[in-house]
Amino acid sequence: QVQLVESGGGSVKPGGSLRLSCAASGFTFTDYYMSWIRQAPGKGLEWVSYISYTGDIIHYADSVKGRFTISRDNTKNAVYLQMNSLTAEDTAVYYCAIPRRQWGQGTLVTVSA
Amino acid sequence: QSALTQPASVSGSPGQSITIPCTGTSSDVGGYNYVSWYQQHPGKAPKLLIYAVSARPAGVSNRFSGFKSGNTASLTISGLQAEDEADYFCDSYTSSNTLDVFGTGTKVTVL
C-alpha cells in the first residue's frame, strides 16, 4: 500500500539547518507531485512547498521562500526538504504528502535556543 | 491564499448524522473537483477519508461521504460513533501558486 515515511526531524537552535527526507513506496512515484505541509503545535495546517513530477516546477510558501529548498530523487523514490536559517516560527510537525491524497506520519522539528 | 472556512466544532450523539461544511471560492472548491477530507486524532497523522469530492479510499468506512455544491464541499458522518471524535479538515486544489488550500479544521465531539 502507499507509504510515506519522513525522517530527519529534531531539535535545532535558531539559525540552524535540518534536512528532512521522505521515503515513498507502494505507488508510481513519478506520477505524482509531492508536497511538504506543516502543523505548528495547536495550530492549523500550513502548506510549505511542492515539487512537480520531474522537479521542474517548484513553489514555496512566502514564509519559507529563500530559506527552504525542496528536491526529489526519482531513482530513490524520495523527496527532501532542506531547511536553513530556522526560527522558532518553523517549529512544527512536518508532513510529506501526495497532494490531496496520502500523508506520512510526520516528523517533528523544534527550533529553540 | 485564505484558508477554507469550516466551523470550529460540530457535535452529535451516537448514531446520529452530522455534516461538516467547507466553504471556499470559485478559485478552489467551486472551480475543481479536487477536494479531500482528512480525520486527525490527537497526536496522530491525518488519515484520508475522501478524495476527489466524494471518492472513498479502500478501507474507509462508508459512514463517511462527501459532496459539493457551488463553493462549498461537505463531509457527512453517518451513524456517529465514539471513535469518530477527532479533528476533520478539508483540502482543495487551488489555481493559486500554492496548489493546495486547507480548511480551518473542525473538532467533532460525540456527546
Side-chain angles (χ1 to χ4, degrees):
Chain A
Q1 75 276 24
V2 173
Q3 273 204 308
L4 298 169
V5 180
E6 301 94 335
S7 61
S11 293
V12 63
K13 288 182 166 45
S17 298
L18 278 176
R19 187 190 193 218
L20 306 183
S21 299
C22 171
S25 61
F27 64 102
T28 304
F29 187 64
T30 51
D31 282 353
Y32 293 92
Y33 277 46
M34 297 297 295
S35 290
W36 286 97
I37 298 150
R38 68 184 181 183
Q39 187 173 34
K43 302 284 188 176
L45 295 162
E46 180 185 15
W47 169 83
V48 173
S49 180
Y50 73 79
I51 186 167
S52 62
Y53 317 107
T54 59
D56 60 329
I57 300 172
I58 288 174
H59 281 283
Y60 300 99
D62 288 342
S63 57
V64 307
K65 202 173 293 184
R67 301 187 299 122
F68 289 13
T69 302
I70 191 172
S71 61
R72 66 189 293 164
D73 185 337
N74 288 342
T75 66
K76 296 182 178 178
N77 285 3
V79 62
Y80 308 99
L81 188 68
Q82 177 66 43
M83 306 186 296
N84 298 330
S85 303
L86 286 162
T87 73
E89 286 65 44
D90 297 315
T91 294
V93 175
Y94 284 73
Y95 296 99
C96 164
I98 301 172
R100 278 154 273 110
R101 300 296 284 265
Q102 193 75 22
W103 291 38
Q105 86 288 351
T107 187
L108 177 62
V109 171
T110 303
V111 185
S112 172
Chain B
Q1 177 68 52
S2 298
L4 305 176
T5 302
Q6 297 180 234
S9 62
V10 172
S11 62
S13 299
Q16 282 187 330
S17 294
I18 61 170
T19 295
I20 303 169
C22 165
T23 301
T25 70
S26 58
S27 296
D28 39 65
V29 175
Y32 308 92
N33 290 323
Y34 295 129
V35 178
S36 295
W37 287 91
Y38 297 86
Q39 176 193 62
Q40 187 177 30
H41 287 103
K44 301 294 187 181
K47 174 188 175 183
L48 179 66
L49 297 175
I50 298 288
Y51 66 96
V53 176
S54 60
R56 252 191 324 273
V60 172
S61 171
N62 59 8
R63 297 187 300 105
F64 297 96
S65 60
F67 175 74
K68 190 186 86 167
S69 178
N71 293 337
T72 298
S74 299
L75 173 73
T76 295
I77 308 175
S78 305
L80 202 60
Q81 299 178 0
E83 68 207 49
D84 299 331
E85 190 160 288
D87 292 325
Y88 293 80
F89 62 91
C90 55
D91 174 7
S92 173
Y93 175 82
T94 171
S95 57
S96 79
N97 283 345
T98 65
L99 193 70
D100 278 87
V101 59
F102 298 108
T104 49
T106 298
K107 181 175 181 57
V108 168
T109 301
V110 181
L111 302 172

